[in-house]
């Protein structure tokens, strides 16, 4: 329950005015004092995350947001942080008090529905008043579920949990696998894991661990080697593996050692599909061909690690892109949930594999880039394209490979 990564949890956001009881509701749902509760409006200043197990859904992440009816400079900061939560919300709870529904709540509802996020309306403090019949009729007409709760009294929580179970999106239940559908049961996957400065001492990084687990869940098995040991490992096998997966940074070396008859891809490209839309990200990758010296590129890292020498996002990808373009490019880096409101200065966005983020957030960024007319790629796709081996890396994904080939045909024409 406690060790499931945030990126694989259902994200449930609580939105509403200040002092409607969002924090009390979260504390009641989790049965813990997660958020500070006070009669003073605006007590919650930043989104508060609480991971828990909600049966029968499984691992979830509740996000208690600051009230977004705040004013002043501090209020603007709170509002901006709260708006970032929309990008990663799988289910939105609009928490309000009876008699307080108005233009403010309608704005939140419109924002969530525009993103196709399931919504549950929670009328809290129901001990004091009940919602108006006309509003309930309207919500029924919109097919929006609603519940009445009294968080501090413990009333209505069972109804809310039941509504949450019914609202779970199909895309969460049927999330794309990492690699399991690419390898038949009983077949072998070779994972190439470089041990370099970025490898955490004594353990593997999250995408590698999750890939291994997915292989085992699919009744296949795997061999884990470093890039320098790949040739010898392949030579010892009686039959070739069904798939080779490498860290994107070792693409060229691994491609040279892997027979053309063996499918090859990278952890980052696997996660482009699991955490986003692979075909759309491939189309965005093709825009690298249109980059010109002086263009601005945005690089997004979902985790907030401290950059080290030869960091992939801050040094290696910028270097490979400059080499491909043949001139200087301007790079901006953001981390965690930060993402610019204005994307117009950028000619390309490069998202990391998002092992620490959830799929909803990556899909939200893809949509925002589409709306702004800015192409978006990801680390593995960008590296494979820059090094000239993207078609090889997309071999396991026929639809994505066809999107790549269509671009190549159009460019040649």
């Amino acid at each position: 329950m406690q060790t499931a990564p945030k990126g694989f949890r259902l994200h449930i956001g609580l939105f509403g005015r200040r002092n409607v009881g969002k924090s009390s509701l979260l504390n009641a749902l989790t049965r813990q004092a997660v958020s500070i509760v006070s009669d003073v409006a605006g007590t919650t200043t930043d989104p508060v995350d609480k991971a828990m197990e909600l049966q029968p859904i499984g691992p979830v992440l509740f996000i208690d947001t600051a009230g977004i009816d705040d004013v002043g400079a501090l209020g603007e900061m709170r509002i901006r942080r709260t708006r970032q939560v929309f990008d990663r919300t799988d289910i939105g709870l609009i928490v309000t008090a009876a008699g307080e529904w108005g233009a403010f709540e309608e704005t939140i509802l419109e924002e969530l529905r525009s993103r196709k996020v399931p919504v549950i309306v929670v009328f809290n403090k129901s001990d004091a008043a009940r919602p108006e019949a006309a509003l309930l009729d309207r919500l029924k007409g919109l097919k929006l579920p609603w519940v009445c709760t009294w968080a501090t009294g413990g009333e209505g929580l069972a109804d809310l949990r039941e509504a949450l179970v019914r609202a779970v999106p199909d895309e969460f239940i049927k999330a794309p696998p990492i690699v399991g559908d690419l390898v038949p049961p009983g077949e072998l996957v070779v994972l190439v894991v470089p041990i370099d400065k970025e490898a955490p001492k004594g353990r593997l990084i999250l995408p590698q661990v999750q890939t291994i687990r997915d292989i085992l869940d699919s009744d296949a098995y795997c061999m884990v080697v470093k890039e320098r040991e790949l040739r010898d490992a392949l030579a010892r096998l009686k039959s070739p593996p069904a798939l080779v997966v490498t860290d994107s940074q070792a693409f060229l070396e691994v491609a040279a050692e892997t027979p053309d008859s063996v499918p090859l891809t990278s952890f980052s490209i696997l996660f482009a599909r699991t955490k986003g839309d692979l075909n759309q990200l491939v189309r965005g990758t093709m825009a690298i061909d249109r980059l010109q010296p002086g263009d601005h590129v945005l690089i997004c890292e979902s985790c907030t690690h401290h950059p080290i020498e030869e960091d992939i996002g801050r040094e290696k990808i910028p270097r490979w892109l400059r080499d491909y373009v043949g001139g200087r490019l301007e790079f901006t880096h953001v981390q965690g949930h930060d993402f610019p409101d204005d994307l117009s200065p950028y000619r390309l966005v490069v998202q990391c594999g998002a092992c620490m983020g959830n799929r909803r957030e990556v899909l939200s960024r893809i949509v925002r880039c589409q709306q702004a007319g800015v192409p978006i790629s990801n680390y593995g796709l960008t590296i494979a394209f820059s090094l000239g081996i993207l078609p090889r890396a997309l071999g396991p994904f026929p639809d994505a490979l066809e999107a790549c080939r269509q671009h190549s045909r159009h460019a040649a024409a």
Side-chain angles (χ1 to χ4, degrees):
M1 178 179 72
Q2 297 299 331
T3 58
K6 285 186 178 181
F8 280 81
R9 293 179 178 271
L10 182 77
H11 285 44
I12 304 170
L14 287 77
F15 302 92
R17 302 174 193 251
R18 293 174 295 162
N19 213 28
V20 294
K22 297 188 299 298
S23 298
S24 296
L25 187 64
L26 176 60
N27 290 345
L29 281 169
T30 60
R31 299 185 179 93
Q32 298 180 44
V34 177
S35 296
I36 298 174
V37 177
S38 168
D39 291 332
V40 178
T43 301
T44 301
T45 58
D46 286 310
V48 175
D49 292 0
K50 174 56 184 175
M52 67 172 291
E53 190 86 1
L54 183 64
Q55 296 298 340
I57 297 172
V60 301
L61 184 77
F62 283 101
I63 313 170
D64 181 18
T65 65
I68 51 178
D69 59 333
D70 213 340
V71 294
L74 181 57
E76 282 297 321
M77 293 175 63
R78 290 172 175 164
I79 290 170
R80 190 174 189 280
R81 289 187 177 275
T82 295
R83 284 175 175 163
Q84 290 177 340
V85 177
F86 283 118
D87 287 340
R88 54 188 175 114
T89 296
D90 295 304
I91 298 177
L93 303 185
I94 302 179
V95 184
T96 185
E100 291 190 3
W101 187 277
F104 176 78
E105 286 74 18
E106 291 288 344
T107 299
I108 299 176
L109 176 59
E110 181 180 350
E111 181 69 32
L112 291 168
R113 295 190 77 194
S114 70
R115 297 167 179 263
K116 296 181 172 56
V117 174
V119 177
I120 300 171
V121 177
V122 182
F123 295 102
N124 195 32
K125 303 184 180 181
S126 61
D127 59 313
R130 304 292 291 182
E132 297 179 358
L135 174 57
L136 297 182
D137 287 341
R138 180 170 178 271
L139 296 178
K140 182 179 179 180
L142 294 173
K143 298 182 178 179
L144 291 177
W146 57 271
V147 296
C148 289
T149 62
W150 177 26
T152 55
E155 294 184 6
L157 300 180
D159 293 336
L160 178 53
R161 291 191 183 97
E162 183 178 346
L164 284 168
V165 170
R166 291 197 298 266
V168 176
D170 287 341
E171 68 180 45
F172 180 82
I173 297 174
K174 302 175 182 178
I178 299 174
V179 69
D181 61 329
L182 303 176
V183 180
E187 292 295 330
L188 171 69
V189 183
V190 175
L191 305 179
V192 183
V193 178
I195 303 299
D196 56 18
K197 293 180 180 179
E198 291 191 294
K201 186 175 182 179
R203 58 189 176 89
L204 301 176
I205 62 174
L206 191 57
Q208 296 160 359
V209 174
Q210 291 172 345
T211 302
I212 291 172
R213 176 57 191 265
D214 193 58
I215 292 169
L216 297 178
D217 286 342
S218 304
D219 296 325
Y221 57 104
C222 66
M223 173 189 292
V224 182
V225 300
K226 293 184 288 188
E227 70 277 21
R228 295 184 298 274
E229 300 164 346
L230 178 60
R231 176 186 292 184
D232 181 59
L234 293 176
R236 295 187 182 200
L237 296 176
K238 292 182 179 180
S239 57
L243 179 68
V244 172
V245 182
T246 180
D247 187 290
S248 298
Q249 300 176 72
F251 247 141
L252 281 181
E253 186 174 351
V254 173
E257 299 293 350
T258 304
D260 291 341
S261 58
V262 176
L264 168 68
T265 193
S266 76
F267 293 102
S268 183
I269 292 177
L270 289 175
F271 273 70
R273 181 179 69 147
T274 299
K275 291 298 183 75
D277 182 332
L278 177 59
N279 292 347
Q280 188 61 42
L281 291 169
V282 168
R283 296 186 187 99
T285 304
M286 301 299 109
I288 295 174
D289 254 348
R290 301 194 298 271
L291 286 179
Q292 300 292 326
D295 282 348
H296 289 245
V297 177
L298 175 67
I299 296 184
C300 308
E301 302 168 299
S302 290
C303 59
T304 55
H305 69 280
H306 183 71
I308 63 173
E309 183 182 355
E310 286 295 288
D311 184 81
I312 183 172
R314 295 177 181 266
E315 295 192 28
K316 292 183 179 179
I317 287 179
R319 182 170 67 243
W320 283 322
L321 282 176
R322 290 187 187 110
D323 290 345
Y324 185 87
V325 172
R328 183 175 180 81
L329 297 168
E330 300 296 329
F331 291 92
T332 299
H333 294 80
V334 294
Q335 291 183 294
H337 303 302
D338 290 342
F339 197 70
D341 293 327
D342 182 12
L343 295 173
S344 61
Y346 305 106
R347 294 296 172 264
L348 178 69
V349 174
V350 183
Q351 170 69 49
C352 73
C355 64
M356 298 298 292
N358 70 335
R359 188 165 189 250
R360 172 69 68 175
E361 185 169 32
V362 177
L363 292 174
S364 295
R365 290 182 175 186
I366 291 174
V367 170
R368 288 186 58 188
C369 287
Q370 288 176 322
Q371 293 171 341
V374 179
I376 179 171
S377 178
N378 97 323
Y379 277 20
L381 295 169
T382 295
I383 293 171
F385 186 95
S386 301
L387 299 178
I389 59 172
L390 183 59
R392 175 84 191 274
L394 293 177
F397 314 100
D399 291 344
L401 179 59
E402 179 57 27
C404 175
R405 286 172 173 167
Q406 285 180 1
H407 168 81
S408 299
R409 288 195 291 267
H410 292 158

